[in-house]
Amino acid sequence: MRGEGLGIEKLSVRFGGLLAVDEVTLSAPGGAITGLIGPNGAGKTTTFNACTGTVPVTSGSVSLFEHDLSHHGPASRAQSGLGRTFQRMELFDSMTVAENVALGPEAALAGRHLWSHLISPPRQRRDIAQRADDALAGCGLSHLGQHRVRDLSTGQRRLVELARALASGFRFLLLDEPSSGLDKIETERFAEIISGAVASGLGILLVEHDMALVRSVCEYVYVLDFGQLIFEGSMAEAQNSEVVRAAYLGSEAA
Amino acid sequence: MNAFIVAVILGLATGSIYALAAMGLVLTYKTSGIFNFAQGAVAAAAAYLFYTLRQSDGIPWPIAALISVALIGVVGGLLLERMGYALREAPVASKVVATVGLLVGIPALLAAWYGSSSRPFDHFLPSHPVHLFVNVGTDQIIIFLLASASAVGLSLFFRRARLGIGMQAVVDDPDLLSLQARNPIVVRRWAWTIGTSFAAVSGILIAPTIGLDAPILTLLVVQAFGAAAIGSFTSIPRTYVGGLIVGVTTALSQLYLASHSGFQGVPPSMPFIILFVVLLVTPKRLLLEKGTRLARRLDFAPALNKRISVPTTLVGLGLLIALPQFVGFRLPLYMTGLLFVILFASLGLLVRTSGQVSLCHLAFAAVGASSFAHFESFGIPWPLAVLLAGLVTVPIGAILAIPAIRLPGIYLAIATFGFGILMQRFVFTNRVMFGSTDSLTAPRPHLGSFHLGTDTGYYYVILGITVACCVVVVLVQRSRLGRLLRALGDSPVALDAHGTNTNFVRLLVFAISAGLAGIAGALSGPVTGFTDGLTFDYSISLLLLAVLALSGRRALASAFIAGGLLQVVPGYITNATVSAYVPAFFGVAAVAVAVVPGIGFAKRFLVARRVRERRGASPVAERRALVRPEVVVAGAPLSGTGRAGGRNGDNRVAERVEMARLGAHQ
């Protein structure tokens, strides 16, 4: 075991006859970026969905900073500090960039109590605005605040989704292919942002196909194939591993 | 035993007709993502045409049937295909509004042309008795065989024919289909033609048993929804069986329950009970929405400048205060108009802000109206009775949040539709509500020397409460809950992922909306002095949605426009012919607004030109070309009419192609 953070213990997810995730055990510490890689269909996104409670788990458990989340719903897991982004971006398309980012912390505060769905005290409003501004600035989106997210490019939309997650004050983030649709410069910028975010103690589990990005930010990677964990170790070890190469057929890891 | 067999045979025959309509419904829904609420209206139209050709013009029935099916089924189907195509990227609410507009408009047109009284419709199929255990009519056998053959044929077609397989693909990825050298438009046209023809046939077949009556014919074919639900809105064979189940259970309940007092409402409501229950118990994973991959959200109206909104509000309020001085005896018209403002504003909260379509809003108002009358008869003070009536409605709204939590978009609309009809059939006539006499007295308030009981006095009472309700709606819209509701409409998944339980938000909005509707209902009785179930007919809930759609996108302004359109304007029309066409106009206009976004009042005048231009110049086309040039190239030449050429490539192609490349999965 490598410290606290997100702990996944013997997690299995079955869709009918297909075992999408097969007894996966992994742990990702706070304050670092851990990679979760594997070929298409390996079960990476399903693992994420199981962690956040959006697909039912067949067996196994998920914990966050040693707090068992297995029996919580998606919203309550988010309340516990587990955030995520989506492979297929889930933005509030009718709203502006600033409104999108502000809704992250707002939703987190709203979900706490029954009455907090209805009323926002002025102090919270200021707090939300402050956090949203910080996140926008941190992701270099301040100049786009009043644009509608629907009008942005894919790369910018990915950044909005990240900014929203960063503004929400999560303790651990699951990022699902955040760099797909980003160009080289945007990817580098993205790597800087998430590296900066973990410096303040945030833990990240990153699903990614861009191996250059994984190499540059992850100290430790897990490799999934056909729902099974086939390797764990440093990125350099992963690239030298025969098992990993076989899984990728040498195409992407090369 | 004999009675049992006769009932089963009768059930199989009517069930076969439901099955036909339902299979057509499932076929079009599967291929276009449009759930055609107007399937029954199409059937009614075909029955009317058949009636005219045969009974007025004396054309032999086979030819009359052929012409009716060809005109309504084929021509109507092709028109509907165009409508479906125009709506393919529209949000669920617009899709519902369009077909509900037809559901309202077509029967209204028929009633305007033919008069609203029912006419006898002669049997045309040969009905010699044949002895199979009991006497069975040949017409029943013919209908049963026709439906069975259609079910088998359609199922085989889906599994074997290339066109049929293409139909399964066309809704979610028309571009991909066109890459396979299959023109998605041809596929869709076939589907709509077949589906609508099935509806036409079912209308002609069912008319002899119930006579020519547009609303009843429409509602009878709506019973096909229950059959479609049994087929999970996708499976043709299960839908066929579902139709038979609906028919037989209805016939059997007629046999065994109709004589028991308290259960008389059951037999005619059986299909809706089946619909509602099946929607509640079907596993979520079987009820996947069709065609949502392309769906976009309707834009919200940009916030108005305070320099415009404040004076407008003040002038409007001033006019409403001065109103009793110059409308004379028409004041009651404005009273109900204001009550409809409350109804529209609360419906807007559900439909517009949170993106959830409710087709039973009047049921909430009915609960409020009847509870108010009861509270008043218990001697509870008038203002408290109104408030309590609103509060009583809140849990009813919360009950409806259960399907809202379980069911995605379109299925919620279907469930609320069933719920509204069930409420009317069962609960309205119960003692808790209007009772079997169906009328309750609802007095106006008395307050010392203030003359609140006069028309003018009561008008001001209503105005005051309406303003208060509008303030509540505005506060909700602007508060945190309003933002959460908008977020819910855009992406429930993201809202959950950030820590707000979407189920609870749904519950809240249904409760608030229902409570407001309950208050409006409570106030409606005292306008005339009594209240009854007929005032709250389910069809008015449909009309409500249609009129809301054509009143623009602003939360409050649209409520006032809609209230005026639905209640006040028709009151000024004295010409009987013209007023007969008013509901038809609302229906048709709603279709137009849904299909051509931008002809609603607000958008044309209030959206800044700049915004429209900026949207036009988005870099989507370039991105598309970069990611996968062949999609752009392939879209144009293969889609025959050319109209797909320019517009087929929607602004999500880039994302979707990218997803396909990365092996995205649901």
Side-chain angles (χ1 to χ4, degrees):
Chain A
M1 289 294 276
R2 301 167 52 251
E4 304 175 1
L6 180 73
I8 300 174
E9 195 71 38
K10 293 199 168 169
L11 182 79
S12 296
V13 179
R14 182 183 284 282
F15 295 127
L18 175 76
L19 197 55
V21 178
D22 186 3
E23 301 233 320
V24 168
T25 299
L26 64 82
S27 80
I33 304 174
T34 308
L36 179 61
I37 59 176
N40 288 331
K44 305 181 296 291
T45 298
T46 307
T47 306
F48 271 20
N49 288 343
C51 288
T52 53
T54 42
V55 301
V57 167
T58 312
S59 65
S61 70
V62 177
S63 64
L64 189 70
F65 296 101
E66 293 180 347
H67 170 64
D68 187 20
L69 295 180
S70 306
H71 303 290
H72 294 245
S76 129
R77 292 184 198 214
Q79 285 291 337
S80 308
L82 182 64
R84 73 172 296 181
T85 65
F86 295 86
Q87 181 178 20
R88 191 185 164 198
M89 283 174 281
E90 291 283 351
L91 290 169
F92 304 124
D93 271 332
S94 71
M95 304 183 207
T96 65
V97 171
E99 286 171 323
N100 261 273
V101 176
L103 254 166
E106 176 130 49
L109 289 168
R112 284 200 190 155
H113 311 285
L114 195 147
W115 63 88
S116 58
H117 287 85
L118 302 167
I119 313 153
S120 48
R123 200 154 48 89
Q124 281 191 4
R125 259 179 277 168
R126 279 196 299 276
D127 183 36
I128 289 167
Q130 184 61 45
R131 286 209 239 165
D133 283 347
D134 290 349
L136 282 173
C139 296
L141 291 168
S142 298
H143 62 291
L144 292 174
Q146 296 314 309
H147 285 243
R148 278 192 327 178
V149 286
R150 191 191 293 158
D151 299 333
L152 302 184
S153 72
T154 308
Q156 289 166 327
R157 286 163 58 87
R158 290 260 178 226
L159 283 178
V160 173
E161 207 184 18
L162 178 71
R164 187 177 64 189
L166 291 178
S168 308
F170 292 121
R171 293 188 291 168
F172 200 97
L173 271 185
L174 307 171
L175 302 182
D176 200 348
E177 298 196 17
S179 84
S180 70
L182 268 61
D183 64 24
K184 196 158 174 290
I185 299 162
E186 284 172 326
T187 308
E188 282 167 11
R189 169 107 191 99
F190 188 86
E192 270 173 48
I193 296 168
I194 56 175
S195 303
V198 292
S200 57
L202 178 78
I204 290 179
L205 184 63
L206 175 72
V207 162
E208 190 47 71
H209 276 287
D210 181 341
M211 288 307 144
L213 175 65
V214 175
R215 203 179 304 128
S216 73
V217 297
C218 299
E219 12 186 284
Y220 204 82
V221 294
Y222 290 88
V223 186
L224 278 183
D225 193 22
F226 294 113
Q228 287 179 325
L229 200 60
I230 56 166
F231 178 85
E232 60 171 292
S234 74
M235 188 63 199
E237 289 168 354
Q239 280 175 305
N240 292 327
S241 156
E242 282 302 316
V243 204
V244 176
R245 273 172 191 260
Y248 272 96
L249 290 169
S251 61
E252 285 183 72
Chain B
M1 193 59 200
N2 250 359
F4 176 80
I5 297 175
V6 169
V8 168
I9 288 169
L10 183 72
L12 286 177
T14 45
S16 295
I17 301 177
Y18 297 155
L20 270 177
M23 287 188 291
L25 187 68
V26 167
L27 178 67
T28 50
Y29 177 58
K30 265 176 98 154
T31 47
S32 68
I34 308 282
F35 184 86
N36 189 7
F37 279 94
Q39 188 84 340
V42 171
Y48 270 80
L49 183 60
F50 179 78
Y51 170 88
T52 312
L53 292 173
R54 173 157 170 267
Q55 275 169 257
S56 311
D57 302 349
I59 297 171
W61 77 261
I63 299 173
L66 209 63
I67 297 176
S68 308
V69 174
L71 268 179
I72 303 293
V74 179
V75 178
L78 292 177
L79 287 173
L80 284 171
E81 187 277 327
R82 288 210 67 120
M83 186 183 91
Y85 183 79
L87 286 168
R88 74 204 178 286
E89 280 184 25
V92 173
S94 298
K95 290 179 179 169
V96 176
V97 164
T99 55
V100 164
L102 289 176
L103 177 58
V104 170
I106 294 175
L109 269 183
L110 293 173
W113 285 336
Y114 290 86
S116 52
S117 59
S118 173
R119 302 186 189 192
F121 191 103
D122 299 346
H123 284 267
F124 55 93
L125 288 173
S127 55
H128 318 293
V130 178
H131 198 77
L132 302 165
F133 307 114
V134 292
N135 280 338
V136 182
T138 39
D139 49 349
Q140 289 175 323
I141 299 174
I142 293 173
I143 291 173
F144 180 74
L145 291 180
L146 180 68
S148 312
S150 308
V152 172
L154 212 53
S155 303
L156 283 180
F157 173 70
F158 258 120
R159 299 229 173 106
R160 298 284 158 80
R162 284 193 65 188
L163 181 64
I165 296 164
M167 280 183 184
Q168 312 222 26
V170 72
V171 55
D172 273 334
D173 215 329
D175 294 322
L176 208 59
L177 189 68
S178 65
L179 288 177
Q180 307 292 320
R182 270 250 153 250
N183 187 338
I185 292 179
V186 172
V187 173
R188 276 199 213 99
R189 279 188 187 151
W190 271 105
W192 275 103
T193 306
I194 298 172
T196 315
S197 300
F198 274 31
V201 171
S202 69
I204 295 170
L205 289 178
I206 206 158
T209 52
I210 54 168
L212 201 65
D213 182 308
I216 294 183
L217 271 174
T218 305
L219 199 58
L220 267 179
V221 181
V222 168
Q223 314 202 335
F225 291 4
I230 292 177
S232 302
F233 301 94
T234 44
S235 159
I236 297 281
R238 271 200 289 142
T239 301
Y240 169 72
V241 176
L244 299 185
I245 291 175
V246 170
V248 171
T249 45
T250 307
L252 287 179
S253 63
Q254 187 79 46
L255 179 66
Y256 292 114
L257 291 178
S259 50
H260 297 294
S261 66
F263 289 103
Q264 274 117 347
V266 176
S269 312
M270 207 60 204
F272 303 103
I273 299 174
I274 292 175
L275 170 68
F276 197 67
V277 171
V278 167
L279 277 177
L280 278 187
V281 300
T282 306
K284 236 175 169 173
R285 66 193 153 79
L286 291 182
L287 294 176
L288 292 177
E289 264 188 297
K290 294 282 174 185
T292 46
R293 278 179 71 179
L294 303 176
R296 277 186 299 108
R297 187 85 195 274
L298 266 193
D299 291 343
F300 284 92
L304 268 185
N305 192 325
K306 276 216 171 81
R307 282 206 306 243
I308 302 173
S309 62
V310 173
T312 316
T313 313
L314 289 179
V315 170
L317 199 58
L319 281 177
L320 285 174
I321 290 171
L323 199 74
Q325 308 305 320
F326 47 86
V327 295
F329 71 95
R330 288 213 164 87
L331 196 57
L333 211 55
Y334 288 88
M335 295 188 204
T336 40
L338 283 177
L339 297 178
F340 270 87
V341 170
I342 303 179
L343 286 176
F344 279 117
S346 58
L347 183 64
L349 208 55
L350 271 181
V351 178
R352 286 247 167 71
T353 318
S354 78
Q356 307 180 91
V357 182
S358 158
L359 291 176
C360 61
H361 214 56
L362 266 252
F364 298 143
V367 172
S370 57
S371 330
F372 165 78
H374 290 305
F375 288 137
E376 184 61 33
S377 70
F378 298 155
I380 293 173
W382 199 89
L384 198 60
V386 172
L387 198 66
L388 283 177
L391 286 178
V392 163
T393 322
V394 166
I396 309 289
I399 290 176
L400 214 66
I402 298 170
I405 286 165
R406 273 184 48 83
L407 304 169
I410 185 77
Y411 300 114
L412 173 63
I414 301 169
T416 56
F417 184 77
F419 181 82
I421 294 177
L422 278 184
M423 282 289 287
Q424 185 172 0
R425 294 271 177 83
F426 278 122
V427 194
F428 280 19
T429 50
N430 194 293
R431 267 188 314 136
V432 217
M433 285 189 67
F434 300 105
S436 45
T437 51
D438 197 38
S439 182
L440 299 170
T441 52
R444 290 184 183 178
H446 296 284
L447 194 72
S449 54
F450 294 102
H451 298 286
L452 299 183
T454 62
D455 271 6
T456 315
Y458 191 57
Y459 171 80
Y460 285 119
V461 172
I462 289 184
L463 181 61
I465 297 176
T466 306
V467 169
C469 290
C470 287
V471 169
V472 169
V473 169
V474 170
L475 283 180
V476 167
Q477 299 255 1
R478 297 208 177 151
S479 69
R480 172 174 284 170
L481 182 61
R483 290 190 287 276
L484 295 180
L485 289 177
R486 280 181 67 178
L488 178 72
D490 279 346
S491 167
V493 184
L495 193 59
D496 252 328
H498 284 84
T500 295
N501 190 331
T502 45
N503 295 347
F504 186 67
V505 177
R506 287 198 167 98
L507 191 90
L508 271 180
V509 66
F510 265 97
I512 293 174
S513 179
L516 289 173
I519 288 178
L523 295 174
S524 71
V527 174
T528 50
F530 68 93
T531 179
D532 61 8
L534 267 183
T535 326
F536 303 100
D537 192 70
Y538 80 95
S539 63
I540 304 174
S541 295
L542 306 179
L543 206 55
L544 222 54
L545 185 74
V547 176
L548 184 69
L550 44 110
S551 306
R553 296 173 301 155
R554 285 183 187 287
L556 276 193
S558 69
F560 278 92
I561 294 172
L565 275 178
L566 185 58
Q567 276 301 309
V568 180
V569 174
Y572 278 88
I573 298 172
T574 45
N575 184 326
T577 325
V578 178
S579 50
Y581 279 95
V582 168
F585 163 78
F586 287 142
V588 174
V591 177
V593 168
V595 171
V596 192
I599 59 174
F601 290 4
K603 185 154 182 177
R604 163 144 291 178
F605 298 112
L606 297 175
V607 173
R609 203 183 179 78
R610 188 173 44 81
V611 180
R612 266 184 263 160
E613 278 165 6
R614 198 178 65 214
R615 216 177 308 146
S618 74
V620 165
E622 297 155 37
R623 260 196 291 150
R624 196 167 64 223
L626 274 176
V627 176
R628 197 163 174 184
E630 69 270 24
V631 172
V632 184
V633 182
L638 285 174
S639 36
T641 59
R643 72 187 152 122
R647 297 191 284 140
N648 210 14
D650 61 274
N651 62 357
R652 295 224 170 158
V653 167
E655 266 166 50
R656 287 191 286 127
V657 168
E658 172 197 312
M659 276 172 47
R661 186 166 54 84
L662 295 172
H665 50 84
Q666 277 294 313

